[in-house]
Amino acid sequence: MILDLHSHSIKSDDGRAKVENYCKWVRTRDIPIDGFVLTEHRQFDFESDYSPLGEKYGLTILKASEVETEYGHVLVFGVTEPLTQEFDFSSIHIPLQQVISASEKHNAVPVPCHPGRPRVGMYAHLEEFGIPAGVRIVEIYNGGSRNNEDEIAQKLAEENSYLGIGGSDAHIVSHIGRCATRFTNNVKTEQELVSALLEDSFEAITYR
């Protein structure tokens, strides 16, 4: 099963895509993914129910979050109400170790995204803060990467024995599915996604 693990809808302040338009694009353009995860910036969207759209288009549509730490941006999969009470998702200064420890406590998975990107990627902060403890997975393919950002991410993963995921980081409809993650088993719920990430049964792929 192939899921794009990093996308943004109009719920994000810089997102310009409606979720149904993502679905239409995937189906009309035969994008080779089985679904996508909406990782809205600095929040978790508890209110939206995308299951009717998922059924209509035959896609798995899940939700996660993208938070901001001193090491850059981090995707958090498996967000629950208790987890959102552990730290302020809307803050742009969340300590990465707090995100990691809270995620472990609540059976969630934190993944630094676009780690090779200047300023908002983990690599840019290693000289100042050092290698952070507790990171298992990073995003090694990002659909919005420029120049050698993905190469930096892949080198970082190789040198630190991190596993890698892929996501489009789509903010507009035509970018969905540029990069994704292939799972060994079906993933239909957010908890199944967490389980698959914890079991290491996945690989990053790119269609760029």
Side-chain angles (χ1 to χ4, degrees):
M1 184 169 189
I2 298 174
L3 296 177
D4 179 344
L5 295 187
H6 188 174
S7 64
H8 301 276
S9 77
I10 56 174
K11 288 278 185 177
S12 288
D13 50 8
D14 57 352
R16 293 179 293 182
K18 294 181 179 180
V19 177
E20 184 162 18
N21 290 343
Y22 276 143
C23 296
K24 290 178 179 178
W25 186 270
V26 170
R27 287 306 180 214
T28 59
R29 300 300 177 109
D30 293 324
I31 306 298
I33 61 174
D34 300 298
F36 51 90
V37 183
L38 295 159
T39 52
E40 311 295 7
H41 286 294
R42 299 179 302 281
Q43 62 179 295
F44 183 77
D45 177 16
F46 283 106
E47 63 183 9
S48 300
D49 178 8
Y50 297 117
S51 55
L53 280 179
E55 292 174 7
K56 179 178 179 180
Y57 291 95
L59 293 168
T60 295
I61 305 173
L62 305 178
K63 296 183 290 185
S65 183
E66 183 174 346
V67 300
E68 300 185 22
T69 77
E70 82 278 25
Y71 279 93
H73 294 189
V74 178
L75 304 176
V76 183
F77 302 99
V79 178
T80 60
E81 185 73 48
L83 178 56
T84 63
Q85 296 171 6
E86 293 281 348
F87 56 86
D88 181 6
F89 273 53
S90 67
S91 172
I92 61 172
H93 302 292
I94 310 168
L96 177 59
Q97 286 306 313
Q98 187 175 6
V99 175
I100 291 172
S101 61
S103 295
E104 290 176 350
K105 177 180 176 181
H106 294 282
N107 195 40
V109 178
V111 178
C113 52
H114 42 67
R117 189 164 299 168
R119 193 176 65 80
V120 296
M122 189 173 85
Y123 185 82
H125 304 282
L126 296 184
E127 184 174 348
E128 180 178 5
F129 299 122
I131 298 293
V135 174
R136 287 182 52 251
I137 308 169
V138 296
E139 185 180 60
I140 61 171
Y141 291 133
N142 179 286
S145 288
R146 299 178 180 178
N147 302 319
N148 64 337
E149 290 175 8
D150 279 355
E151 287 79 5
I152 291 172
Q154 291 155 23
K155 182 180 179 182
L156 178 69
E158 181 179 357
E159 290 178 347
N160 294 279
S161 299
Y162 298 148
L163 299 171
I165 66 165
S168 66
D169 200 1
H171 289 68
I172 62 175
V173 170
S174 61
H175 289 181
I176 195 73
R178 283 183 165 185
C179 302
T181 305
R182 179 186 290 114
F183 293 91
T184 304
N185 301 319
N186 283 340
V187 175
K188 295 294 186 181
T189 68
E190 280 137 26
Q191 280 310 304
E192 287 179 352
L193 174 57
V194 166
S195 296
L197 292 170
L198 291 175
E199 292 169 3
D200 305 347
S201 56
F202 58 90
E203 64 174 333
I205 56 177
T206 179
Y207 299 111
R208 296 187 72 185

